[in-house]
Amino acid sequence: MAHAAVVSLQQKLQEMLKGDDSRYPRLCEAVSSWHAFLEDSLSVRNAPEAVEHLEKWVEDLATQLLDGIHLYELEKRSPDFSPVGSKVFQEVVVTAGSDSIKAYVMKVMNAQNDNDALPTQDTVESDSKCIPHLQATMLDLDNDLMTVKSRLIGPPSKLTVVSIVGMGGIGKTTLARKVYDDIYMEHHFYIRAWITVSQMHQHREMLLGILRCFSLVNDNTYQKNIEQLAEQVYRSLKGRRYLIGMDDVWDTNAWDVVKRSFPDEKNGSRVILTSRLANVGIYASSGSPPHYMRCLSVDQSLKLFNLKVFGRETCPLELEKATKQIVEKCQGLPLAIVVVAGFCSKISKTEDCWEDVAHKIGLVVSRETEECMDLLALSYKHLPLHLKTCFLYMGAFPKDFEITVSKLMKLWIAAEFVKRTPEKDFEEVAHGYLRDLIDRSLIMVKKLTSSGEVKTCKVHDLLHDLIIREAWKERLIYFTKSNVILSPPVASFEHRIIFNFHRAPSTHLKHVYDKPLLPCASSFLCFGRDGTPRCCSQVDSFVTFTNFKWLTVLDICFQPFDHLPCEIWKLSTLKYLALASFSVLPPSVCNLRYLQTLIRYSHQASICLPAEIWEIKNLRHLYFRKCCYFPIVQSIQKDSLGSSRHSNLALTKLRTISYITFGSIKRRVLKRMHKLKKLGIRESEEECLTAEQMSGNLKKLVLLEHLETFKGFFIKPWLPKQCDVFPPTLKKLTLRGCQLPWDQMTILCKLPKLEVLKLKHYAFQGSEWESTDERFQQLKFLLLDGTDLIHWKASSIQFPKLENLVLKNCGCLYEIPDDVAEIPTLLFIELYHCSSSADDSANRIREEQISMGNDDLVVRIHKFPNCECYIHSSNSLVH
């Protein structure tokens, strides 16, 4: 897409020119103007075809220039390179492009100005118009109805906006309309009005819509200007308790222009508003949280499906299994359930036939009614350009795939979709993009981290179908699936973003690799169907090809290698490299000068990183599931001038390392990665370090002034002799296997910023933990996982800000301290396979909180049958 191409070009120019725009001022000025046009084009919705044509011009030229820069960089590294190469670069990139740059800019800007003057067209429909068949459907919305109704008729007396937020097709309009039409609402509110706003809202039409509901529109009304209409609405509402329904609101401006016409007489008047965008709902509600619509449960989905197909809440016994498969594939989206139910009501009611439907839900929905996909497409079309590319990239992941957010962020950054700002780094900007997509109801949150951030996410299957459809149009994704290579009608292989392979055999893959335009691909992601490694002969064949010249992302983490093919180190533009396993990382890794992320997923033996790793100055994230030995900078090597070869090497952009050995923690190493934020360390049997040596190494972490997250995994007991072994900057700390006595907890409570503490697999041991002088002033999350603790004595004073308490495999623990119930901030207690008495104490705390009027505390208890309970002995862990 144009925006992605321009952002990539801008980043490449910044790397190449190092901030000195004076070297190629015309080029830099032109690229900046393209970016400005693309940002401005978001507001030009009246002539989409013209804007798309202009965006295509920009994309083509940006791509041409970017390819020219890449070609020049390759030639520059060649042994045969001469100063003539500089002329080649100027001729190919600058001269050929600059002559037409001015003309392109003039055409783009002039066309933009022309487009601004074009008349508006109603090119989109609202949610309620797209799905009339959903309005009459009896959804199981009892809980939602009660919640929304209570907010409409309850306190406060001042004018209040109740916003209903959720993805397209989830039933926002259905819920709002059921509340609005409720007989009690008719009696409670003296006057009511309902308007549908949509994306192309007009102030005048909204005011007229309200007046029509009051039967106050005549020929004279249409002659009034906006100010006069606003005044008429205000006067018609003043002194009366009213209810206004605003359906399908897409931006805050739609609310701003009409709210001045809503008088606040402190008489309990209300506005009920629906939107797909959380920021719109929050803005309009002005402090009152929106009501978020959730997908239906399986039971609710079954009830809705059966009512639509059979006219009752149950189905024939022989179809129960197939029916459940169908509704599970709909993933709780009422729109999908209703459409598929309508289809099933017309076909043969046999198990085989319905099982076939279950496997083709997306196809059924798209064929049964184009309105459904068009409805979902409204959210996509409303996205800013930078979010469109990020959203479409999620089509690289298989359907129903739970995506790790940290990985997604790294992929977006490597694919050059994220534009850094002076105030924020890449990761912060990328997280902002994700939050925006979540708030727009396009991405679903699946799991949260211990600190409340999004850990995993996914897209609904129907939205995944939409992504593939739109990405196909944009020539962004080419993928193979089920041993069949799919391609667009004209297989031009211009798809620049993703190749998504599902284990197609090499006989099929070579048809892909042999395509002459394959160098356009920038990302190659490979997913195992079952997520497990197997023979990688087909990927071996891929690596022998040199077609992937401009690859920035290579993720083949499900494909183990015995020996890494040397061709990988020739992919000089790589920014993200994830591999399953390798025993040696060669010095030629330094050829990947732009590499940001390097991942090794294998649990196999630790490896030694080559000293050349220090030459990759763009490294941001290193992840080795086992661990690695980090090399010391070899400052003794001299160059021809007698100076140290490695003396100026530093990984100043490095943010994450997991995992390295304790022996790798050297002063010379840490000083050269001083911006590190996350660090994981594993004790290695080969190093044979004493507890004193490990403590000494940990104390060196104070050199990392930005370190916030630390994980330390031990294989033998460790007893520090000093209290300041951990840096005071830590916010998250995980310890495993160090077998500290509980009285050493004073070491951890001295960390002034600690918010998350996870103690795993006998990080602490002993039958009694009595918190006396300990104060965890900032701690919000505490996990105890695997311990022989029996008696725990604590008071609320020691954990004044604790919000989440999680206990796992604490089979010996007698009870949770009663004083925990007095912690004012406590929201959540969760137990996994703990003793029955500990479970009982959690329930008792919950009951006490309810009796005191606190319904916010959530207690969850999980029991796993046939689980093994670990009991700790002095020498080993036994069952």
Side-chain angles (χ1 to χ4, degrees):
M1 296 181 69
H3 189 270
V6 171
V7 170
S8 296
L9 180 57
Q10 284 181 318
Q11 292 185 12
K12 179 57 70 176
L13 286 173
Q14 288 175 0
E15 293 173 0
M16 184 180 71
L17 303 179
K18 295 181 173 60
D20 183 12
D21 293 353
S22 62
R23 291 170 60 185
Y24 299 108
R26 294 175 65 195
L27 180 60
C28 296
E29 182 182 351
V31 174
S32 296
S33 69
W34 299 343
H35 188 268
F37 159 70
L38 292 174
E39 293 293 331
D40 291 343
S41 68
L42 292 175
S43 60
V44 186
R45 301 185 181 275
N46 304 322
E49 292 183 0
V51 173
E52 285 179 12
H53 184 59
L54 293 172
E55 289 178 357
K56 179 60 180 163
W57 283 354
V58 173
E59 179 183 5
D60 289 343
L61 189 54
T63 302
Q64 177 186 348
L65 292 170
L66 189 60
D67 289 346
I69 293 174
H70 283 147
L71 182 61
Y72 166 71
E73 288 184 333
L74 282 179
E75 292 176 349
K76 189 175 180 180
R77 288 186 217 142
S78 170
D80 302 326
F81 177 77
S82 68
V84 178
S86 178
K87 295 181 180 179
V88 172
F89 170 71
Q90 292 182 25
E91 291 174 2
V92 173
V93 180
V94 182
T95 306
S98 294
D99 290 343
S100 57
I101 283 175
K102 188 173 183 180
Y104 269 93
V105 172
M106 293 301 296
K107 286 181 180 179
V108 167
M109 294 307 174
N110 289 339
Q112 181 186 358
N113 293 333
D114 293 341
N115 286 340
D116 287 342
L118 291 175
T120 60
Q121 302 172 11
D122 290 329
T123 57
V124 296
E125 294 182 338
S126 69
D127 287 12
S128 54
K129 290 181 182 177
C130 283
I131 46 170
H133 54 284
L134 190 59
Q135 301 300 320
T137 302
M138 294 299 295
L139 297 180
D140 187 3
L141 299 173
D142 289 346
N143 291 334
D144 296 279
L145 278 169
M146 291 295 294
T147 301
V148 174
K149 285 169 69 174
S150 65
R151 292 180 62 177
L152 289 178
I153 62 178
S157 59
K158 68 176 183 177
L159 174 63
T160 304
V161 179
V162 178
S163 300
I164 301 175
V165 174
M167 68 181 292
I170 203 168
K172 301 182 298 296
T173 301
T174 303
L175 172 61
R177 195 74 209 194
K178 287 183 91 170
V179 173
Y180 179 87
D181 291 333
D182 188 274
I183 188 67
Y184 185 83
M185 297 298 162
E186 288 187 37
H187 294 290
H188 184 75
F189 294 100
Y190 182 82
I191 190 169
R192 295 178 305 148
W194 179 276
I195 59 172
T196 299
V197 181
S198 79
Q199 287 175 298
M200 303 295 290
H201 71 271
Q202 294 183 358
H203 189 185
R204 180 183 179 82
E205 281 302 314
M206 288 192 289
L207 295 172
L208 286 170
I210 294 173
L211 293 173
R212 289 189 192 101
C213 294
F214 304 154
S215 301
L216 295 177
V217 175
N218 52 39
D219 291 342
N220 184 47
T221 308
Y222 290 104
Q223 305 302 317
K224 295 182 179 180
N225 59 33
I226 291 178
E227 288 74 18
Q228 292 170 328
L229 291 173
E231 177 67 18
Q232 185 177 355
V233 170
Y234 183 88
R235 290 183 178 278
S236 64
L237 296 176
K238 188 170 178 59
R240 299 176 173 89
R241 184 163 60 209
Y242 58 85
L243 173 64
I244 306 294
M246 295 181 64
D247 186 32
D248 197 24
V249 182
W250 284 83
D251 60 59
T252 56
N253 184 57
W255 167 247
D256 284 337
V257 296
V258 296
K259 69 178 182 181
R260 290 169 292 182
S261 300
F262 300 155
D264 186 4
E265 302 284 297
K266 303 294 190 298
N267 59 2
S269 293
R270 296 288 185 265
V271 176
I272 185 169
L273 177 150
T274 73
S275 179
R276 302 187 190 192
L277 312 179
N279 70 304
V280 172
I282 293 170
Y283 179 85
S285 298
S286 62
S288 179
H291 178 80
Y292 291 96
M293 293 288 289
R294 306 299 179 190
C295 289
L296 302 180
S297 67
V298 174
D299 289 340
Q300 290 173 320
S301 300
L302 283 169
K303 180 180 177 181
L304 173 60
F305 182 88
N306 291 334
L307 281 170
K308 188 72 177 177
V309 178
F310 305 107
R312 58 181 188 274
E313 295 183 10
T314 58
C315 71
L317 186 62
E318 64 273 12
L319 292 177
E320 278 188 356
K321 181 180 177 181
T323 300
K324 189 173 182 180
Q325 289 177 343
I326 290 173
V327 299
E328 285 177 347
K329 288 294 183 68
C330 292
Q331 297 180 315
L333 186 65
L335 174 64
I337 296 168
V338 169
V339 171
V340 175
F343 177 80
C344 290
S345 66
K346 303 171 189 174
I347 63 174
S348 175
K349 294 177 175 57
T350 63
E351 186 175 4
D352 290 343
C353 191
W354 282 32
E355 285 181 352
D356 189 50
V357 172
H359 291 103
K360 300 175 181 177
I361 291 292
L363 189 62
V364 169
V365 172
S366 61
R367 284 185 177 178
E368 187 67 6
T369 170
E370 274 295 316
E371 292 176 345
C372 291
M373 295 306 287
D374 290 342
L375 171 67
L376 297 174
L378 287 177
S379 294
Y380 169 74
K381 291 175 181 177
H382 193 72
L383 287 175
L385 291 175
H386 67 279
L387 291 183
K388 282 185 177 180
T389 52
C390 293
F391 182 59
L392 293 184
Y393 199 93
M394 299 186 76
F397 296 91
K399 258 188 181 182
D400 204 28
F401 191 88
E402 194 166 324
I403 304 167
T404 303
V405 165
S406 60
K407 176 175 181 173
L408 182 63
M409 301 296 96
K410 295 178 180 69
L411 290 172
W412 281 352
I413 294 169
E416 300 177 337
F417 295 159
V418 180
K419 186 174 176 62
R420 184 174 56 183
T421 66
E423 300 82 17
K424 298 179 180 179
D425 62 15
F426 283 117
E427 285 77 12
E428 289 177 297
V429 176
H431 275 282
Y433 290 179
L434 177 71
R435 188 72 255 172
D436 203 347
L437 288 169
I438 291 171
D439 289 344
R440 292 170 183 269
S441 305
L442 288 171
I443 292 179
M444 298 185 293
V445 176
K446 295 302 294 181
K447 293 178 183 175
L448 297 176
T449 66
S450 52
S451 56
E453 299 170 349
V454 183
K455 183 176 184 179
T456 63
C457 63
K458 63 181 295 189
V459 294
H460 193 280
D461 281 359
L462 290 185
L463 286 174
H464 192 280
D465 292 334
L466 172 69
I467 288 173
I468 298 302
R469 186 182 78 170
E470 296 298 326
W472 223 243
K473 292 178 183 178
E474 297 286 348
R475 301 169 299 154
L476 289 176
I477 297 180
Y478 183 99
F479 64 97
T480 64
K481 183 178 180 182
S482 304
N483 299 339
V484 177
I485 290 183
L486 306 177
S487 61
V490 180
S492 62
F493 274 84
E494 295 180 37
H495 319 295
R496 303 188 57 84
I497 306 302
I498 301 161
F499 288 83
N500 180 7
F501 286 79
H502 286 267
R503 294 191 179 280
S506 57
T507 53
H508 287 283
L509 291 184
K510 73 183 182 69
H511 295 305
V512 177
Y513 306 141
D514 288 342
K515 297 294 181 180
L517 292 179
L518 201 56
C520 292
S522 65
S523 298
F524 183 107
L525 293 95
C526 180
F527 296 93
R529 189 173 299 278
D530 55 359
T532 57
R534 68 171 213 186
C535 175
C536 58
S537 59
Q538 67 267 34
V539 179
D540 283 333
S541 67
F542 143 67
V543 184
T544 59
F545 290 85
T546 57
N547 285 335
F548 289 87
K549 288 184 179 179
W550 313 133
L551 208 62
T552 60
V553 172
L554 176 58
D555 189 336
I556 44 179
C557 58
F558 293 120
Q559 301 293 343
F561 290 98
D562 294 327
H563 302 284
L564 283 177
C566 61
E567 285 82 0
I568 286 181
W569 316 118
K570 296 178 182 178
L571 301 173
S572 58
T573 57
L574 272 184
K575 293 190 174 184
Y576 180 102
L577 177 60
L579 302 167
S581 65
F582 50 86
S583 54
V584 176
L585 190 66
S588 53
V589 68
C590 67
N591 294 334
L592 309 182
R593 53 188 291 202
Y594 298 111
L595 193 66
Q596 298 171 349
T597 301
L598 176 61
I599 298 174
R600 177 187 186 243
Y601 280 98
S602 175
H603 283 288
Q604 295 177 6
S606 305
I607 67 166
C608 296
L609 298 182
E612 285 74 11
I613 199 77
W614 287 99
E615 298 180 27
I616 310 177
K617 296 185 178 181
N618 287 298
L619 267 180
R620 301 181 70 85
H621 307 282
L622 282 171
Y623 179 81
F624 295 84
R625 183 168 287 181
K626 185 68 174 177
C627 67
C628 67
Y629 297 90
F630 211 90
I632 300 175
V633 179
Q634 300 296 327
S635 59
I636 59 172
Q637 298 183 19
K638 307 291 182 179
D639 60 18
S640 59
L641 299 177
S643 60
S644 299
R645 177 186 170 191
H646 294 287
S647 61
N648 63 339
L649 295 183
L651 299 177
T652 58
K653 297 181 180 179
L654 196 62
R655 298 293 184 268
T656 307
I657 303 180
S658 291
Y659 293 88
I660 60 175
T661 63
F662 274 91
S664 297
I665 305 176
K666 306 290 184 184
R667 187 174 296 273
R668 278 184 292 173
V669 171
L670 299 181
K671 284 178 119 180
R672 296 172 189 270
M673 51 179 70
H674 59 276
K675 292 188 178 180
L676 200 67
K677 289 187 175 182
K678 298 181 180 180
L679 175 63
I681 302 178
R682 286 183 185 271
E683 183 181 355
S684 172
E685 294 180 354
E686 292 85 358
E687 288 184 327
C688 299
L689 297 179
T690 64
E692 187 174 353
Q693 288 174 316
M694 287 191 288
S695 296
N697 285 353
L698 287 174
K699 286 195 67 174
K700 296 171 187 174
L701 297 182
V702 73
L703 296 170
L704 302 175
E705 298 177 355
H706 300 278
L707 190 66
E708 296 179 350
T709 302
F710 176 75
K711 295 181 180 181
F713 291 179
F714 298 77
I715 58 176
K716 59 180 181 289
W718 167 59
L719 184 62
K721 296 183 179 180
Q722 297 168 306
C723 294
D724 56 347
V725 291
F726 295 110
T729 55
L730 289 184
K731 293 183 178 180
K732 298 180 182 180
L733 175 62
T734 302
L735 295 175
R736 177 186 175 94
C738 44
Q739 302 175 40
L740 289 165
W742 288 105
D743 59 15
Q744 292 291 308
M745 190 65 75
T746 54
I747 296 175
L748 306 186
C749 71
K750 293 182 182 296
L751 299 174
K753 298 182 179 180
L754 190 65
E755 296 178 359
V756 175
L757 177 59
K758 298 180 181 181
L759 305 175
K760 300 182 177 183
H761 200 67
Y762 293 93
F764 282 74
Q765 73 168 44
S767 61
E768 184 170 324
W769 175 21
E770 183 173 1
S771 305
T772 53
D773 299 329
E774 300 160 9
R775 297 288 187 278
F776 289 91
Q777 296 295 344
Q778 303 299 325
L779 196 67
K780 297 178 181 179
F781 183 97
L782 175 62
L783 166 69
L784 303 180
D785 183 1
T787 175
D788 57 355
L789 181 64
I790 300 175
H791 300 290
W792 178 18
K793 300 177 182 179
S795 70
S796 60
I797 300 174
Q798 283 139 3
F799 303 97
K801 294 186 178 181
L802 191 67
E803 297 175 359
N804 297 277
L805 173 62
V806 182
L807 305 176
K808 293 184 178 182
N809 302 308
C810 297
C812 301
L813 182 64
Y814 180 68
E815 66 178 1
I816 301 172
D818 289 336
D819 284 359
V820 167
E822 299 177 9
I823 299 175
T825 55
L826 192 64
L827 299 174
F828 195 81
I829 298 177
E830 191 162 16
L831 293 86
Y832 293 83
H833 195 60
C834 294
S835 67
S836 298
S837 58
D839 296 344
D840 293 340
S841 67
N843 285 323
R844 186 170 63 250
I845 290 173
R846 169 66 176 145
E847 291 169 2
E848 290 176 2
Q849 291 294 302
I850 293 176
S851 66
M852 296 167 58
N854 178 18
D855 295 329
D856 294 332
L857 179 62
V858 176
V859 174
R860 291 180 183 169
I861 297 174
H862 307 268
K863 286 293 187 184
F864 305 108
N866 303 321
C867 268
E868 296 171 320
C869 179
Y870 287 90
I871 303 172
H872 188 260
S873 69
S874 58
N875 298 319
S876 62
L877 293 176
V878 297
H879 296 268

